[in-house]
Amino acid sequence: WGSNEGGQLGLSQFVGEECVAEPQLVKKLVDRRQTVVQVACGETHTVVLTKDKRVWGWGTSMYG
């Protein structure tokens, strides 16, 4: 939950929304049966580490 202005929540249906008020599942991770073990968040991005040691990230990519 929180701001999704830059897509940092990983929720395509809410991109551009100023605020998502309740926790949401990140469907792409659920569909791929990924278990998240660690999360790092910034103002405009989110990065997660999954149990199978994959790294996923989303949000604004101003600097790549």
Side-chain angles (χ1 to χ4, degrees):
W1 63 91
S3 173
N4 197 43
E5 192 173 342
Q8 63 268 40
L9 300 181
L11 306 171
S12 60
Q13 70 269 32
F14 294 113
V15 171
E17 294 286 327
E18 282 191 30
C19 185
V20 175
E22 296 180 17
Q24 306 286 315
L25 289 174
V26 177
K27 187 158 174 43
K28 287 189 179 193
L29 294 176
V30 173
D31 290 347
R32 291 176 174 84
R33 298 176 185 243
Q34 297 294 305
T35 300
V36 174
V37 295
Q38 193 168 12
V39 179
C41 301
E43 184 176 349
T44 61
H45 70 281
T46 301
V47 180
V48 300
L49 174 66
T50 61
K51 188 176 180 179
D52 62 354
K53 299 181 181 175
R54 294 176 189 240
V55 176
W56 298 74
W58 48 86
T60 301
S61 182
M62 289 176 63
Y63 304 102

